[in-house]
Amino acid sequence: MQSEVLNPHRIARIQFDRAASLIDTPQGWGGMDEWLFQPEQTLMVTIPVVMDDGVVRTFRGYRVIHNTVRGPGKGGIRFHPAVNEDEVRALATWMTWKCAVVGVPFGGAKGGVCCDPTTLSTDERRRITRRFIAALGDNIGPHTDIPAPDPYTDSQTMAWIYDTYSMMHPGRNTLPVVTGKPLDIGGIVGRTTATGRGVFLATRHFLEIGGLPGLESLESAAVAIQGFGNAGRHSAAFFAEAGARIVAVSDTRGTVVNGSGIDVAAVIAHKDETGAVAGAPGTETMPPEAALEADCDILIPAAMENQITAANADSVKARLVVEAANGPTTPAADRILAGRGVAVLPDILANAGGVVVSYFEWVQNLQNEEWDEDRVEQGLAKRMRRATESVVERLATLPAPTGGEPGPDLRVAATARAVERTRATAEERGVWP
Ligand code: NAD
């Protein structure tokens, strides 16, 4: 049996080719497809960092700008041992499509440093961040490429990024160089919860417009969540607030379950205190993989790529998968889920709340203003609603499959929408010179 494709950049290519083949191009692509898919710039830097014990360790960092046709690069920086060039290229590609789906004027970018953040002290993280940003130099900037948080980086990391960049560019308003900053250095209210809120808003609207016949509301829907970091825990809180029953949540060390509904605030407090969800009050602890197989209506993968694969897609019991994480479902798993009638609300739509509010932060910083909570929440709700409708409408116009293939799904519809928008902008601008 042929092994499953797990390389994220190859997966991004499969998804792009599938969408491109369904887009109506009477004159053909004329080479535009290759240009739209290939990353514009891939930087790899090697950085020396003095560790707490005085030894110099060498780290590898990446920053990829996928496409700037619709605006400057935008995308997170992660610290993780699995960071590599192909992963960062894929994540940058998905950022281009995500910004286009929600209609924010950014292109796609992503970055990361290959390291194990769980073994690093705060001082070591600060030195890695500063040296990485110094190595990127003017490849990032308020009008060229704007980083944000991602796994194992947070508002503190963004503060160090801002500080490093602003030390290198004195006398200018450099606040818009990075988003996800703390509130008192130009951060915006609601950025920390924005991804979770966006996941919730997209799901609720999708159900309200009849996206999943038989499940029209979140009221008492059973929800399982894999990953309990920024995206996972805030998603859990918003779904619970709307009356959903959170039946399972997990992190790398275990899954906690309670069929009658988990007290999300108690699990958050327990995780903050002990570093893990395992053992949270009122729950039973199971292995980490149990979250993906939980008995539920909605499954929210909110951890990393390649979590739902050909090996476990058949065990997913949910009727709807909502991708809070980037790239959690492989193409082979997509086919299995589609064949079983499980809908997938794709990452480039479902988790776009983070980049929408990052965009608001960037605008706020350019104008040296402070947005209030209502303005942020209403702006986010409007964009998530519009984007969800636009993807569902595009799905309805995609051609039906031939030869027993599974029909077009929400991922191909969202990708097609994004590629069409990026292509239209590229054509209006023309290829320089
Ligand atoms: P985070 O570091 O805050 O949290 C990640 C969580 O996932 C942690 O709880 C970790 O223990 C858990 N985890 C990792 N591997 C796991 C596994 N195999 N099984 C169970 N749990 C596992 O990261 P985050 O910012 O919440 O990002 C999570 C995902 O959401 C990533 O794919 C990221 O790109 C995506 N995302 C994040 C944002 C954002 O604003 N933070 C925006 C859009 C997309």
Side-chain angles (χ1 to χ4, degrees), residues 61 153 173 175 179 283 359 369 373:
T153 59
N173 172 20
L175 284 173
T179 60
T283 65
Y359 165 61
E369 266 199 25
E373 217 167 324

Side-chain angles (χ1 to χ4, degrees), residues 223-226 247-250 255 257 286-301 307-318 321 340:
V223 177
I225 301 177
Q226 183 208 33
V247 294
V249 301
S250 73
T255 299
V257 298
M286 297 175 73
E289 56 277 14
L292 296 177
E293 301 174 6
D295 212 346
C296 60
D297 300 302
I298 301 172
L299 171 64
I300 306 180
Q307 297 302 305
I308 306 176
T309 65
N312 63 5
D314 270 325
S315 312
V316 169
K317 299 193 182 65
V321 173
R340 294 179 47 222

Side-chain angles (χ1 to χ4, degrees), residues 125-327:
R125 283 176 200 225
R126 192 188 66 240
R127 289 195 289 271
I128 291 174
T129 307
R130 288 192 184 282
R131 187 69 198 227
F132 179 50
I133 295 307
L136 293 182
D138 281 334
N139 288 290
I140 63 165
H143 300 285
T144 47
D145 180 12
I146 305 131
D150 215 46
Y152 300 101
T153 59
D154 56 14
S155 58
Q156 175 60 76
T157 326
M158 301 307 115
W160 293 326
I161 293 178
Y162 162 68
D163 187 64
T164 306
Y165 186 86
S166 84
M167 287 295 145
M168 292 159 62
H169 299 83
R172 295 190 216 167
N173 172 20
T174 49
L175 284 173
V177 71
V178 60
T179 60
K181 301 180 292 297
L183 274 184
D184 42 11
I185 8 181
I188 194 164
V189 282
R191 173 60 185 90
T192 310
T193 54
T195 302
R197 188 186 287 278
V199 168
F200 157 69
L201 290 168
T203 311
R204 188 179 64 180
H205 197 58
F206 177 68
L207 298 182
E208 279 169 0
I209 60 177
L212 194 68
L215 188 66
E216 275 79 33
S217 139
L218 287 173
E219 192 77 42
S220 13
V223 177
I225 301 177
Q226 183 208 33
F228 208 62
N230 177 292
R233 64 167 61 189
H234 295 299
S235 297
F238 285 114
F239 277 80
E241 197 181 289
R245 207 161 27 97
I246 310 299
V247 294
V249 301
S250 73
D251 60 19
T252 44
R253 294 204 247 158
T255 299
V256 291
V257 298
N258 181 343
S260 321
I262 287 170
D263 177 347
V264 174
V267 183
I268 290 175
H270 182 81
K271 168 117 178 144
D272 285 345
E273 199 184 312
T274 66
V277 296
T283 65
E284 188 192 334
T285 301
M286 297 175 73
E289 56 277 14
L292 296 177
E293 301 174 6
D295 212 346
C296 60
D297 300 302
I298 301 172
L299 171 64
I300 306 180
M304 298 293 289
E305 302 96 78
N306 292 343
Q307 297 302 305
I308 306 176
T309 65
N312 63 5
D314 270 325
S315 312
V316 169
K317 299 193 182 65
R319 302 158 61 197
L320 174 64
V321 173
V322 181
E323 296 185 328
N326 287 306

